[in-house]
Amino acid sequence: MCRFITWKVPDERSIFCESFGNYYIIFNQSSGETHLLNELAAEALRILEIYPVSEAELADRLREVFEVELEELLPRMSRLLKEFDNLGLIEPCC
């Protein structure tokens, strides 16, 4: 069993993204669903497409991109990852 859960996009080729200002339209070819994401969520998904990361690692990488305090991001990461998981955009891995 894994000590820390990491998350990843199961098949990055199945997700298509188009930006519209500060919002991003995400089409998940696997589910046929379309989602509207803000910049933070879209960047989080992009990071998860590149390599698996834990909740804390994701928050740290987003902190660097958006230049915000880690304490501001950490509470949001759990909700964001749970929502991505429920939408079938990500999956847990070791």
Side-chain angles (χ1 to χ4, degrees), residues 21-32:
N22 293 336
Y23 293 95
Y24 295 79
I25 303 290
I26 305 295
F27 176 69
N28 184 350
Q29 188 174 5
S30 297
S31 68

Side-chain angles (χ1 to χ4, degrees), residues 34-94:
T34 302
H35 310 284
L36 179 66
L37 303 180
N38 63 24
E39 277 186 292
L40 183 104
E43 181 64 18
L45 192 59
R46 186 192 69 76
I47 291 168
L48 291 162
E49 283 182 303
I50 297 170
Y51 40 77
V53 293
S54 69
E55 185 176 317
E57 290 169 324
L58 181 60
D60 191 50
R61 292 179 197 278
L62 290 171
R63 177 193 58 79
E64 293 172 4
V65 172
F66 291 97
E67 298 178 355
V68 296
E69 295 296 320
L70 194 58
E71 294 77 26
E72 183 180 332
L73 287 173
L74 280 173
R76 298 169 71 182
M77 289 303 95
S78 181
R79 288 190 309 268
L80 182 62
L81 291 170
K82 187 175 191 174
E83 185 173 341
F84 281 172
D85 187 31
N86 288 338
L87 293 172
L89 295 172
I90 63 171
E91 66 183 13
C93 64
C94 292

